Amino acid sequence: MSRQAELVRAQARACGHLGSAMYDELLTRLADDLDAGGATARVLRGHEEDPGPSGLALRLVGAVHRLVLAGSAPELAAYYPTVGGAWASRGSDAVLAFLAARGEEVRPLLDQAPQTNEVGRAAALVGGLLRQTARWPLPVRLWEIGASGGLNLQADRFRVTGPAGDWGDPGAPVVLDDAWTGRPLPVDAALQVVERGGCDVNPVDVTTEDGRLTLTSYVWPDMTARHERLAGAITLARAHPVAVERADAASYVERLVTEQGRLTVLWHSVMWQYVPMTQQDRVLARLEDVGRTATDDAPLVHLYAEPTRRAPGDEHRFWVWARSWPGAAQPEVLGRMAAHGPPVEWE
């Protein structure tokens, strides 16, 4: 078994575990084809040493999905739910035939890093933010690193429901149903975002068709709820544009300051693992510096939902954390989310 094939099989298992039977089956077949030296191996030539976190398997199936979404691969449309098709086992044969015939069209698209701007993770972020605004009922300045297309910067315009509380406009174009469990949230806390922005090393302009295709292509085709959330969030982002700067996390955060009469929040979700350690150190150092000047009239919060260990030796899980200034000397766990967001169990 080649290293590439092993990574693709691992991604297949992960997709199956997270609810995509289509990608579980398809990626398993592509891994077999890799080991056999077939069309998949030819398409991925030159990527043998790509690091595991670069998501080679998702880049490959995302590239094919993009061509399907753009109408450039009509021979695959019958198998892709996102264009009206239905997945069937023979779809794997069709994808392999497509790679054999048109693999050179796929290869250039492999250079795009997977970008999903996972809207469901807003359930964790906005729930954590409600906890903070219950403590500091101030207008919010909201900043995000690794913001991609800036869709989760629209989270105050979403609707979230669940046993732990219902919040937001019932008519919102993004509804995260059954997303909150566990300890009840302060859903009556005032949440007024008066300033917002973000950064990304490769931002996606969701006001363009290219941007829409980029984000949609990396959402697994048979996961209907995720696609509905994404489409609704893009609609919001086009109606309420937010600037996402092309900048690395450290450079962006080093400009962060608090403001009197405002709650300043820096948040992020499932991006920290891609930030170089030197930049992580700079981000945390800047937050410490700014935090030392924070007051109850100008507080600062670092809110994040990332795959982390709660304690040394624990498994990585998608914990929701917050550290506030003035306040806790260390981050505190607020809850735990699923990989794509809902459900979030609050503590």
Side-chain angles (χ1 to χ4, degrees):
M1 181 190 302
S2 71
R3 174 180 174 276
Q4 275 187 331
E6 185 177 357
L7 289 172
V8 174
R9 285 195 179 89
Q11 185 62 64
R13 292 191 294 271
C15 290
H17 177 71
L18 294 172
S20 177
M22 174 181 174
Y23 271 5
D24 186 356
E25 183 173 354
L26 175 57
L27 286 167
T28 299
R29 285 290 307 279
L30 294 178
D32 292 342
D33 189 58
L34 259 174
D35 277 335
T40 309
R42 293 192 293 276
V43 171
L44 296 182
R45 188 181 301 118
H47 293 274
E48 289 81 4
E49 301 303 320
D50 286 16
S54 70
L56 180 61
L58 294 178
R59 283 149 54 199
L60 174 58
V61 291
V64 174
H65 190 198
R66 182 188 181 97
L67 293 171
V68 173
L69 290 167
S72 302
E75 60 267 60
L76 299 180
Y79 304 105
Y80 278 74
T82 42
V83 291
W87 179 250
S89 294
R90 58 185 179 275
S92 295
D93 295 327
V95 171
L96 286 169
F98 179 81
L99 294 177
R102 300 176 58 189
E104 289 306 309
E105 297 175 45
V106 175
R107 283 178 56 80
L109 300 176
L110 296 174
D111 294 334
Q112 169 72 56
Q115 290 238 32
T116 57
N117 208 159
E118 191 60 55
V119 175
R121 292 172 185 148
L125 297 173
V126 78
L129 184 54
L130 285 172
R131 288 263 188 97
Q132 308 309 311
T133 55
R135 177 180 177 185
W136 289 297
L138 298 169
V140 174
R141 304 167 68 237
L142 180 61
W143 314 111
E144 181 174 20
I145 51 177
S148 187
L151 299 185
N152 284 338
L153 287 165
Q154 305 285 342
D156 57 312
R157 300 182 173 109
F158 296 175
R159 169 74 168 170
V160 192
T161 73
D166 296 345
W167 175 87
D169 179 4
V174 178
V175 180
L176 306 177
D177 276 327
D178 297 320
W180 286 340
T181 66
R183 179 183 172 185
L185 287 168
V187 293
D188 294 328
L191 177 51
Q192 179 190 12
V193 179
V194 293
E195 194 176 355
R196 70 189 84 207
C199 76
D200 197 277
V201 293
N202 190 27
V204 177
D205 183 355
V206 297
T207 67
T208 67
E209 180 61 10
D210 180 73
R212 185 192 72 81
L213 283 174
T214 295
L215 294 185
T216 307
S217 67
Y218 290 111
V219 177
W220 306 342
D222 57 338
M223 303 196 81
T224 304
R226 291 176 64 198
H227 280 281
E228 290 175 350
R229 297 170 194 159
L230 177 62
I234 289 175
T235 297
L236 278 173
R238 289 177 171 181
H240 307 279
V242 176
V244 178
E245 296 183 24
R246 185 178 300 275
D248 62 65
S251 299
Y252 189 76
V253 173
E254 283 170 349
R255 289 181 272 140
L256 185 71
V257 295
T258 57
E259 186 175 311
Q260 197 71 16
R262 300 285 190 264
L263 168 60
T264 300
V265 177
L266 177 74
W267 78 15
H268 52 89
S269 59
V270 194
M271 57 75 66
W272 195 243
Q273 68 209 66
Y274 304 113
V275 178
M277 187 67 69
T278 54
Q279 285 197 41
Q280 292 184 12
D281 292 342
R282 286 167 58 193
V283 168
L284 297 177
R286 178 59 181 173
L287 288 170
E288 289 278 8
D289 287 345
V290 178
R292 280 192 284 270
T293 70
T295 67
D296 283 327
D297 292 324
L300 171 67
V301 170
H302 181 203
L303 173 63
Y304 52 99
E306 299 283 353
T308 51
R309 291 185 174 93
R310 185 165 186 170
D314 287 355
E315 292 184 14
H316 279 86
R317 299 182 186 278
F318 292 88
W319 296 107
V320 186
W321 300 80
R323 187 177 178 193
S324 56
W325 295 265
Q330 296 295 328
E332 62 174 327
V333 171
L334 304 182
R336 193 177 90 184
M337 72 174 184
H340 296 134
V344 184
E345 183 175 2
W346 299 103
E347 298 186 359

